């Protein structure tokens, strides 16, 4: 279980004015600003749970992950990860932990992934039998058996991510921090990685903390989210609850040759987007039928469709609501 | 025992990386040493010619060739992984992966540093043995072994000094120039450009208060059979400096770790 109580963390960040004068001035006198990366964060994650940490860039997600994994020290407050204080960096603690950062690699660029795995076997002191079984199991499921001996630099981004996943899971971690695991991947690779993580968690009951900007990752992997904004957790709860609470809008879409101005005149529309003949209107759920009736009486419409707004829009709306 | 295994496996993976590119390996293995030796020997050849003498300070042209070969390869043995092997990790945030591994970071890095050190040391041993077999030289096996041991101790000492500089990246992010300055001082004080015996006595006395002559100049003199230098005193001196810089290494590492924020990386 992971328990965080009133965790705060601040950094000094250097400021520099643009231009050569700013550079010269900063040589003599540096200006720093105190950045409060985390403010009284409290969170409880049960063993085997998967939680999505979401928020804009600079919201404090990665700082929280770094503190939980013992990479950086906490400022104030208490952190307990499966009975360990991460900052004490006990080797037993490190052995039950794994961190996958989509933008950072732990494998050796110029060598085949299998060489990197051998090194990890020694670092985590994985018995040979377990190591062989894990390599076989993970590489088969991720469909990378044939490229285990190919230098990492010659692999595609998706293949590299799969190898990183194997590297991170070789020692059977109990807690996994996944920081943007699908960043930069094409759609099919994203799907493959997501499916794998989902299956792996179900089998092993591993605790997973996922940070991602891809809402598909969050939607498909997490049932609970912690929404972070400016160093604070502003929402902690079910993904369906937030959708239910804030998804008060629907998207009405259709094809028409009518001009955009005429449609925009409908006062209940929040946002109208046009893609060729296809028009999408964002409007309150309770006014869909009324608006549609009104549109049908005035214009000729084809291929009419209504759908709920996606989770990304819901969260955007939640954040805007919080700010105002 | 675990540290030894980590050292061995980090050494092995670095060796595999060094050997990954054939041309790069061969060019790096021979190129800089050959160029240094040729350029510095040509310089002394011109000086000898201009002065109209065969010897300077007891060194003939062939003596200069052997000396510059030994200091060039010795310097490579000492500088191992070069500059930036830790500071680059800190700068780009790659250090995060090492911080979550259950291992001793310094042992791991020493393994990766030691790999290039060993390749150059092998070159040195191979060259001297082949040179003795085909052209004959007065280098004794005992002297060569003692010099090689001292170079290894020197490499570890230099690694510890360099580490303390590399860790400064925890505060200053980019420390490349400090690394270059340390290397330049090693080259000056280790007799890389000019043999230390050519320096005034006062300068030599001053340099003896630093660990650098014991890292490079003295091991080379011992290999060349210069009896003014004792293996034991040089080894003890290096062990003393290793102890000092080991403590400094751990102290700066501890402070740096506490200061690390990894903002934006």
């Amino acid at each position: 279980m992971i328990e965080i109580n009133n965790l705060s963390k601040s950094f000094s960040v250097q400021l520099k004015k643009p231009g050569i004068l700013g550079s010269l001035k900063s040589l003599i006198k540096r200006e720093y600003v105190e950045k409060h990366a985390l403010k009284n964060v409290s969170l409880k994650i049960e063993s085997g749970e998967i939680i999505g940490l979401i928020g804009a860039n600079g919201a404090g997600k990665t700082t929280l992950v770094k503190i939980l994994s013992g990479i950086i020290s906490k400022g104030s407050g208490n952190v307990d990860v499966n009975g360990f204080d991460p900052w004490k960096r006990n080797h037993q603690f490190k052995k039950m932990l794994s961190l996958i950062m989509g933008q950072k690699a732990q494998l050796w660029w110029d060598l085949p992934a299998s060489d990197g795995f051998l090194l990890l076997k020694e670092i985590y002191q994985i018995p040979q039998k377990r190591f062989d079984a894990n390599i076989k199991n993970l590489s088969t499921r991720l469909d990378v058996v044939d490229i285990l001996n190919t230098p990492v630099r010659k692999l595609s981004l998706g293949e590299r991510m799969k190898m990183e996943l194997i590297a991170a899971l070789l020692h059977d971690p109990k807690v996994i921090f996944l920081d943007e695991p699908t960043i930069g991947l094409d759609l099919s690779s994203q799907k493959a990685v997501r499916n794998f993580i989902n299956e792996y968690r179900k089998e092993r009951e591993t605790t997973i903390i996922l940070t991602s900007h891809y809402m598909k990752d969050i939607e498909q992997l997490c049932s609970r989210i912690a929404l972070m904004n400016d160093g604070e957790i502003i929402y902690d709860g079910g993904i369906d609850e937030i959708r239910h609470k804030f998804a008060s809008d629907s998207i009405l879409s259709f094809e028409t040759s009518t001009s955009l101005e005429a449609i925009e005149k409908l006062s209940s529309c929040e946002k109208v987007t046009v893609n060729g003949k296809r028009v999408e209107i964002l409007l309150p759920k309770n006014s869909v039928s009324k608006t549609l009736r009104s549109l049908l009486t005035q214009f000729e419409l084809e291929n009419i469709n209504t759908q709920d707004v996606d989770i990304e829009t819901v969260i955007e709306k939640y954040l805007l609501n919080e700010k105002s | 025992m675990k540290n030894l295994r980590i050292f061995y496996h980090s050494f092995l993976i670095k060796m595999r990386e060094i050997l990954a590119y054939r041309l790069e390996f061969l060019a790096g293995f021979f190129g800089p040493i050959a160029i240094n030796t040729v350029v510095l020997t040509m310089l002394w050849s011109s000086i000898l010619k201009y002065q109209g003498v065969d010897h300077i300070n007891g060194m003939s042209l062939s003596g200069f060739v052997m000396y510059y070969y030994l200091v060039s390869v010795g310097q490579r043995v000492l500088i191992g992984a070069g500059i930036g092997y830790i500071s680059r990790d800190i700068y780009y945030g790659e250090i995060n992966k090492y911080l979550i591994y259950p291992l001793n970071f310094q042992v791991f890095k020493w393994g990766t540093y030691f790999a290039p050190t060993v390749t150059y040391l092998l070159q040195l041993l191979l060259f001297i043995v082949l040179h003795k077999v085909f052209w004959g030289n007065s280098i004794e096996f005992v002297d060569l072994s003692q010099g090689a041991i001292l170079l290894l101790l020197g490499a570890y000492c230099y690694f510890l000094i360099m580490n303390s500089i590399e860790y400064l990246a925890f505060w200053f992010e980019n420390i490349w120039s400090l690394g270059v300055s340390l290397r330049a001082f090693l080259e000056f004080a280790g007799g890389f450009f000019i043999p230390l015996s050519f320096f005034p006595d006062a300068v030599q006395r001053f340099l003896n208060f630093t660990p650098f002559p014991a890292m490079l100049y003295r091991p080379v003199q011992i290999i060349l059979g210069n009896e003014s230098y004792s293996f034991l005193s040089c080894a003890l001196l290096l062990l003393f400096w290793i102890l000092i810089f080991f403590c400094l290494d751990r102290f700066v590492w501890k402070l740096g770790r506490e200061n690390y924020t990894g903002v934006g990386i």
Side-chain angles (χ1 to χ4, degrees):
Chain A
M1 188 173 73
I2 297 173
E3 206 167 349
I4 306 161
N5 287 311
N6 301 317
L7 177 66
S8 296
K9 175 80 183 174
S10 301
F11 306 122
S12 283
V13 179
Q14 192 203 334
L15 290 182
K16 188 191 86 68
K17 287 181 180 145
I20 186 73
L21 206 63
S23 299
L24 288 170
K25 272 185 184 169
S26 81
L27 262 185
I28 298 156
K29 196 183 173 200
R30 303 230 148 182
E31 282 179 46
Y32 292 92
V33 66
E34 189 88 340
K35 183 178 160 51
H36 301 287
L38 294 175
K39 299 171 194 165
N40 283 320
V41 169
S42 293
L43 196 66
K44 201 172 173 180
I45 304 162
E46 296 296 335
S47 294
E49 194 178 2
I50 179 164
I51 181 168
L53 272 184
I54 45 180
N57 290 329
K61 309 179 299 287
T62 306
T63 302
L64 183 57
V65 166
K66 282 180 186 163
I67 291 175
L68 290 176
S69 54
I71 290 173
I72 60 171
S73 63
K74 62 184 181 194
S76 60
N78 290 315
V79 180
D80 183 295
V81 179
N82 282 12
F84 291 97
D85 175 353
W87 183 241
K88 288 187 178 163
R89 300 188 304 277
N90 184 303
H91 279 197
Q92 285 308 112
F93 164 72
K94 290 180 176 182
K95 278 185 181 176
M96 57 143 208
L97 187 83
S98 197
L99 171 66
I100 302 170
M101 296 181 116
Q103 298 184 76
K104 299 262 182 294
Q106 65 166 323
L107 292 170
W108 291 64
W109 183 250
D110 298 313
L111 298 175
S114 50
D115 272 334
F117 298 155
L118 281 176
L119 180 67
L120 290 168
K121 173 180 168 278
E122 296 305 322
I123 290 175
Y124 287 101
Q125 293 178 296
I126 309 168
Q128 187 68 46
K129 226 174 170 179
R130 202 173 104 202
F131 174 77
D132 292 339
N134 281 354
I135 289 279
K136 194 178 169 193
N137 174 30
L138 295 167
S139 59
T140 309
R141 288 170 62 176
L142 284 162
D143 194 23
V144 289
V145 178
D146 296 341
I147 49 171
L148 285 173
N149 294 324
T150 308
V152 171
R153 70 190 162 80
K154 298 214 167 158
L155 301 176
S156 70
L157 202 59
E159 289 168 339
R160 279 210 295 277
M161 192 61 225
K162 287 176 181 176
M163 295 301 185
E164 288 291 336
L165 276 170
I166 297 177
L169 302 175
L170 270 179
H171 61 289
D172 300 316
K174 290 187 172 66
V175 179
I176 304 173
F177 299 101
L178 283 166
D179 192 7
E180 307 282 357
T182 58
I183 196 161
L185 302 188
D186 61 43
L187 290 175
S188 71
S189 300
Q190 281 182 33
K191 201 175 162 190
V193 167
R194 273 197 293 265
N195 288 344
F196 172 77
I197 294 170
N198 221 354
E199 283 170 22
Y200 186 87
R201 190 192 68 84
K202 279 177 190 161
E203 275 170 29
R204 312 276 175 125
E205 295 195 339
T206 315
T207 309
I208 298 180
I209 296 172
L210 169 72
T211 67
S212 180
H213 283 109
Y214 291 132
M215 286 304 147
K216 273 239 162 73
D217 289 353
I218 303 287
E219 270 186 299
Q220 289 182 15
L221 294 170
C222 313
S223 51
R224 177 183 165 199
I225 58 167
L227 187 56
M228 293 193 76
N229 187 37
D230 202 18
E232 290 174 298
I233 292 185
I234 54 170
Y235 174 84
D236 176 12
I239 201 160
D240 291 332
E241 287 165 42
I242 196 172
R243 197 200 299 269
H244 183 71
K245 200 168 169 186
F246 288 90
S248 53
D249 293 336
S250 280
I251 297 168
L252 172 64
S253 62
F254 50 83
E255 283 178 13
T256 181
S257 37
T258 311
S259 73
L260 183 64
E261 289 80 18
I263 295 166
E264 274 180 333
K265 275 181 191 163
L266 293 164
S267 58
S268 57
C269 299
E270 270 190 30
K271 197 171 151 191
V272 179
T273 47
V274 182
N275 184 8
K277 281 174 79 181
R278 188 102 197 140
V279 177
E280 281 193 351
I281 304 174
L282 181 69
L283 71 176
K285 263 181 185 169
N286 55 14
S287 65
V288 172
S289 353
K290 193 179 149 200
T291 308
L292 187 58
R293 269 199 304 274
S294 160
L295 282 167
L296 284 167
T297 53
Q298 295 173 63
F299 317 111
E300 207 168 293
L301 309 180
E302 285 175 341
N303 296 327
I304 301 163
N305 185 30
T306 61
Q307 65 185 78
D308 283 341
V309 292
D310 56 25
I311 189 71
E312 203 162 347
T313 314
V314 175
I315 286 164
E316 201 180 341
K317 199 169 173 188
Y318 187 94
L319 287 171
L320 278 173
N321 198 34
E322 277 288 314
K323 274 181 190 167
S324 63
Chain B
M1 190 64 189
K2 195 202 166 189
N3 280 346
L4 206 61
R5 282 169 69 104
I6 292 293
F7 167 74
Y8 175 64
H9 286 277
S10 61
F11 166 77
L12 280 187
I13 199 152
K14 189 67 186 176
M15 279 305 287
R16 285 180 217 143
E17 193 186 53
I18 289 171
L19 298 172
Y21 302 102
R22 197 166 36 182
L23 179 65
E24 175 62 19
F25 169 71
L26 292 173
F29 192 61
F30 296 112
I33 292 164
I35 291 167
N36 277 337
T37 310
V38 169
V39 169
L40 289 164
T41 307
M42 281 170 71
L43 178 75
W44 283 101
S45 158
S46 302
I47 294 169
L48 287 169
K49 201 173 164 188
Y50 180 76
Q51 298 274 336
V53 291
D54 292 333
H55 290 77
I56 293 181
N57 235 4
M59 285 177 79
S60 65
L61 188 61
S62 61
F64 277 117
V65 174
M66 185 54 92
Y67 176 81
Y68 280 118
Y69 170 73
L70 289 175
V71 286
S72 298
V73 77
Q75 180 244 27
R76 287 273 145 181
V77 168
L78 294 179
I79 62 174
I83 302 168
Y85 57 90
I86 296 174
S87 58
R88 257 196 318 262
D89 288 342
I90 298 169
Y91 183 86
Y92 290 111
E94 299 292 332
I95 197 156
N96 293 348
K97 70 179 173 196
Y98 297 111
L99 298 179
I100 63 159
Y101 286 156
L103 52 71
N104 181 319
F105 177 75
Q106 284 77 12
V107 169
F108 183 88
K109 281 293 176 184
W110 171 231
T112 56
Y113 188 96
F114 192 60
T117 286
V118 164
T119 58
Y120 288 112
L121 199 65
L122 287 175
Q123 185 198 132
L124 172 76
L125 298 175
L126 201 67
F127 175 81
I128 298 295
V129 170
L130 289 177
H131 190 266
K132 198 173 176 70
V133 171
F134 292 106
W135 293 282
N137 62 45
S138 55
I139 293 172
E140 297 296 329
F141 178 72
V142 176
D143 294 336
L144 182 61
S145 310
Q146 288 182 346
I149 292 167
L150 291 175
L151 282 173
L152 281 180
L153 283 174
Y156 187 58
C157 189
Y158 189 76
F159 165 76
L160 292 172
I161 301 172
M162 196 65 189
N163 278 1
S164 302
I165 288 177
E166 295 276 333
Y167 300 151
L168 293 179
F170 280 124
W171 293 271
F172 303 103
E173 281 115 19
N174 196 341
I175 54 86
W176 191 265
S177 299
L178 287 177
V180 172
S181 305
L182 176 70
R183 188 188 288 185
F185 194 72
L186 163 77
E187 287 167 350
F188 166 72
F192 180 76
F193 295 116
I194 303 167
L196 294 190
S197 58
F198 286 45
F199 287 180
D201 285 348
V203 176
Q204 286 189 51
R205 272 198 302 275
F206 165 74
L207 292 178
N208 282 334
F209 284 107
T210 73
F212 304 107
M215 284 179 185
L216 186 57
Y217 183 70
R218 289 184 197 176
V220 166
Q221 291 302 322
I222 285 172
I223 293 172
L224 289 170
N226 188 334
E227 289 175 359
S228 321
Y229 298 97
S230 132
F231 167 72
L232 196 64
S233 67
C234 189
L236 287 174
L237 191 61
L238 280 171
L239 287 172
F240 164 75
W241 283 113
I242 284 172
L243 185 68
I244 301 279
F245 288 115
F246 184 86
C247 296
L248 183 69
D249 170 285
R250 295 306 192 267
F251 178 67
V252 184
W253 166 252
K254 190 173 178 290
L255 291 182
R257 277 286 288 111
E258 281 164 14
N259 191 62
Y260 181 59
T261 56
V263 179
I265 47 178

